[in-house]
PDB file of all heavy atoms in Angstrom:
ATOM      1  N   PHE A 161       4.168  -3.686 -12.518  1.00  0.00           N
ATOM      2  CA  PHE A 161       2.920  -4.193 -11.947  1.00  0.00           C
ATOM      3  C   PHE A 161       3.192  -5.277 -10.908  1.00  0.00           C
ATOM      4  O   PHE A 161       2.652  -5.238  -9.795  1.00  0.00           O
ATOM      5  CB  PHE A 161       2.047  -4.734 -13.085  1.00  0.00           C
ATOM      6  CG  PHE A 161       0.792  -5.440 -12.641  1.00  0.00           C
ATOM      7  CD1 PHE A 161      -0.329  -4.718 -12.279  1.00  0.00           C
ATOM      8  CD2 PHE A 161       0.742  -6.823 -12.601  1.00  0.00           C
ATOM      9  CE1 PHE A 161      -1.487  -5.372 -11.880  1.00  0.00           C
ATOM     10  CE2 PHE A 161      -0.407  -7.482 -12.204  1.00  0.00           C
ATOM     11  CZ  PHE A 161      -1.529  -6.750 -11.839  1.00  0.00           C
ATOM     12  N   PHE A 162       4.034  -6.229 -11.217  1.00  0.00           N
ATOM     13  CA  PHE A 162       4.309  -7.318 -10.289  1.00  0.00           C
ATOM     14  C   PHE A 162       5.195  -6.866  -9.128  1.00  0.00           C
ATOM     15  O   PHE A 162       5.035  -7.338  -8.000  1.00  0.00           O
ATOM     16  CB  PHE A 162       4.959  -8.487 -11.024  1.00  0.00           C
ATOM     17  CG  PHE A 162       4.001  -9.255 -11.888  1.00  0.00           C
ATOM     18  CD1 PHE A 162       4.037  -9.121 -13.272  1.00  0.00           C
ATOM     19  CD2 PHE A 162       3.048 -10.075 -11.333  1.00  0.00           C
ATOM     20  CE1 PHE A 162       3.146  -9.812 -14.078  1.00  0.00           C
ATOM     21  CE2 PHE A 162       2.147 -10.780 -12.126  1.00  0.00           C
ATOM     22  CZ  PHE A 162       2.192 -10.643 -13.502  1.00  0.00           C
ATOM     23  N   VAL A 163       6.111  -5.932  -9.384  1.00  0.00           N
ATOM     24  CA  VAL A 163       6.968  -5.439  -8.300  1.00  0.00           C
ATOM     25  C   VAL A 163       6.134  -4.667  -7.279  1.00  0.00           C
ATOM     26  O   VAL A 163       6.218  -4.906  -6.061  1.00  0.00           O
ATOM     27  CB  VAL A 163       8.090  -4.557  -8.871  1.00  0.00           C
ATOM     28  CG1 VAL A 163       8.850  -3.879  -7.738  1.00  0.00           C
ATOM     29  CG2 VAL A 163       9.054  -5.391  -9.704  1.00  0.00           C
ATOM     30  N   LEU A 164       5.315  -3.723  -7.765  1.00  0.00           N
ATOM     31  CA  LEU A 164       4.466  -2.964  -6.856  1.00  0.00           C
ATOM     32  C   LEU A 164       3.385  -3.852  -6.244  1.00  0.00           C
ATOM     33  O   LEU A 164       2.924  -3.598  -5.126  1.00  0.00           O
ATOM     34  CB  LEU A 164       3.824  -1.799  -7.603  1.00  0.00           C
ATOM     35  CG  LEU A 164       4.793  -0.745  -8.159  1.00  0.00           C
ATOM     36  CD1 LEU A 164       4.037   0.364  -8.865  1.00  0.00           C
ATOM     37  CD2 LEU A 164       5.655  -0.164  -7.039  1.00  0.00           C
ATOM     38  N   GLY A 165       2.990  -4.895  -6.978  1.00  0.00           N
ATOM     39  CA  GLY A 165       2.023  -5.833  -6.420  1.00  0.00           C
ATOM     40  C   GLY A 165       2.553  -6.526  -5.178  1.00  0.00           C
ATOM     41  O   GLY A 165       1.802  -6.768  -4.216  1.00  0.00           O
ATOM     42  N   LEU A 166       3.830  -6.853  -5.154  1.00  0.00           N
ATOM     43  CA  LEU A 166       4.428  -7.461  -3.963  1.00  0.00           C
ATOM     44  C   LEU A 166       4.369  -6.502  -2.773  1.00  0.00           C
ATOM     45  O   LEU A 166       4.118  -6.920  -1.636  1.00  0.00           O
ATOM     46  CB  LEU A 166       5.875  -7.857  -4.242  1.00  0.00           C
ATOM     47  CG  LEU A 166       6.086  -9.067  -5.151  1.00  0.00           C
ATOM     48  CD1 LEU A 166       7.574  -9.217  -5.485  1.00  0.00           C
ATOM     49  CD2 LEU A 166       5.577 -10.340  -4.482  1.00  0.00           C
ATOM     50  N   ALA A 167       4.593  -5.210  -3.037  1.00  0.00           N
ATOM     51  CA  ALA A 167       4.501  -4.223  -1.960  1.00  0.00           C
ATOM     52  C   ALA A 167       3.074  -4.117  -1.435  1.00  0.00           C
ATOM     53  O   ALA A 167       2.845  -4.042  -0.221  1.00  0.00           O
ATOM     54  CB  ALA A 167       4.998  -2.862  -2.451  1.00  0.00           C
ATOM     55  N   LEU A 168       2.106  -4.104  -2.343  1.00  0.00           N
ATOM     56  CA  LEU A 168       0.707  -4.033  -1.927  1.00  0.00           C
ATOM     57  C   LEU A 168       0.285  -5.322  -1.226  1.00  0.00           C
ATOM     58  O   LEU A 168      -0.508  -5.300  -0.278  1.00  0.00           O
ATOM     59  CB  LEU A 168      -0.178  -3.788  -3.144  1.00  0.00           C
ATOM     60  CG  LEU A 168      -1.613  -3.330  -2.868  1.00  0.00           C
ATOM     61  CD1 LEU A 168      -1.620  -2.030  -2.083  1.00  0.00           C
ATOM     62  CD2 LEU A 168      -2.375  -3.157  -4.168  1.00  0.00           C
ATOM     63  N   MET A 169       0.817  -6.427  -1.673  1.00  0.00           N
ATOM     64  CA  MET A 169       0.546  -7.710  -1.009  1.00  0.00           C
ATOM     65  C   MET A 169       1.050  -7.674   0.430  1.00  0.00           C
ATOM     66  O   MET A 169       0.407  -8.216   1.339  1.00  0.00           O
ATOM     67  CB  MET A 169       1.237  -8.829  -1.794  1.00  0.00           C
ATOM     68  CG  MET A 169       1.088 -10.213  -1.205  1.00  0.00           C
ATOM     69  SD  MET A 169       1.961 -11.437  -2.229  1.00  0.00           S
ATOM     70  CE  MET A 169       1.820 -12.899  -1.189  1.00  0.00           C
ATOM     71  N   SER A 170       2.176  -7.037   0.668  1.00  0.00           N
ATOM     72  CA  SER A 170       2.716  -6.925   2.016  1.00  0.00           C
ATOM     73  C   SER A 170       1.773  -6.150   2.925  1.00  0.00           C
ATOM     74  O   SER A 170       1.646  -6.461   4.117  1.00  0.00           O
ATOM     75  CB  SER A 170       4.087  -6.239   1.980  1.00  0.00           C
ATOM     76  OG  SER A 170       4.995  -6.955   1.166  1.00  0.00           O
ATOM     77  N   ASP A 171       1.111  -5.136   2.370  1.00  0.00           N
ATOM     78  CA  ASP A 171       0.141  -4.382   3.166  1.00  0.00           C
ATOM     79  C   ASP A 171      -1.028  -5.277   3.569  1.00  0.00           C
ATOM     80  O   ASP A 171      -1.488  -5.242   4.715  1.00  0.00           O
ATOM     81  CB  ASP A 171      -0.355  -3.172   2.369  1.00  0.00           C
ATOM     82  CG  ASP A 171      -1.320  -2.317   3.166  1.00  0.00           C
ATOM     83  OD1 ASP A 171      -0.841  -1.453   3.917  1.00  0.00           O
ATOM     84  OD2 ASP A 171      -2.552  -2.505   3.033  1.00  0.00           O
ATOM     85  N   GLY A 172      -1.530  -6.071   2.625  1.00  0.00           N
ATOM     86  CA  GLY A 172      -2.609  -6.993   2.953  1.00  0.00           C
ATOM     87  C   GLY A 172      -2.199  -8.015   3.999  1.00  0.00           C
ATOM     88  O   GLY A 172      -2.970  -8.338   4.913  1.00  0.00           O
ATOM     89  N   VAL A 173      -0.975  -8.516   3.897  1.00  0.00           N
ATOM     90  CA  VAL A 173      -0.478  -9.479   4.878  1.00  0.00           C
ATOM     91  C   VAL A 173      -0.409  -8.833   6.257  1.00  0.00           C
ATOM     92  O   VAL A 173      -0.790  -9.448   7.267  1.00  0.00           O
ATOM     93  CB  VAL A 173       0.900 -10.010   4.455  1.00  0.00           C
ATOM     94  CG1 VAL A 173       1.551 -10.802   5.577  1.00  0.00           C
ATOM     95  CG2 VAL A 173       0.774 -10.884   3.212  1.00  0.00           C
ATOM     96  N   GLU A 174       0.065  -7.601   6.320  1.00  0.00           N
ATOM     97  CA  GLU A 174       0.201  -6.917   7.610  1.00  0.00           C
ATOM     98  C   GLU A 174      -1.142  -6.762   8.305  1.00  0.00           C
ATOM     99  O   GLU A 174      -1.242  -6.906   9.531  1.00  0.00           O
ATOM    100  CB  GLU A 174       0.834  -5.533   7.396  1.00  0.00           C
ATOM    101  CG  GLU A 174       1.196  -4.805   8.674  1.00  0.00           C
ATOM    102  CD  GLU A 174       2.446  -5.372   9.331  1.00  0.00           C
ATOM    103  OE1 GLU A 174       3.217  -6.063   8.646  1.00  0.00           O
ATOM    104  OE2 GLU A 174       2.645  -5.122  10.534  1.00  0.00           O
ATOM    105  N   VAL A 175      -2.188  -6.475   7.540  1.00  0.00           N
ATOM    106  CA  VAL A 175      -3.517  -6.318   8.125  1.00  0.00           C
ATOM    107  C   VAL A 175      -4.019  -7.645   8.685  1.00  0.00           C
ATOM    108  O   VAL A 175      -4.551  -7.707   9.796  1.00  0.00           O
ATOM    109  CB  VAL A 175      -4.498  -5.765   7.075  1.00  0.00           C
ATOM    110  CG1 VAL A 175      -5.936  -5.821   7.592  1.00  0.00           C
ATOM    111  CG2 VAL A 175      -4.127  -4.330   6.714  1.00  0.00           C
TER     112      VAL A 175
END
Side-chain angles (χ1 to χ4, degrees):
F161 173 80
F162 286 106
V163 172
L164 297 181
L166 287 172
L168 195 59
M169 178 180 172
S170 302
D171 182 85
V173 169
E174 188 75 19
V175 170

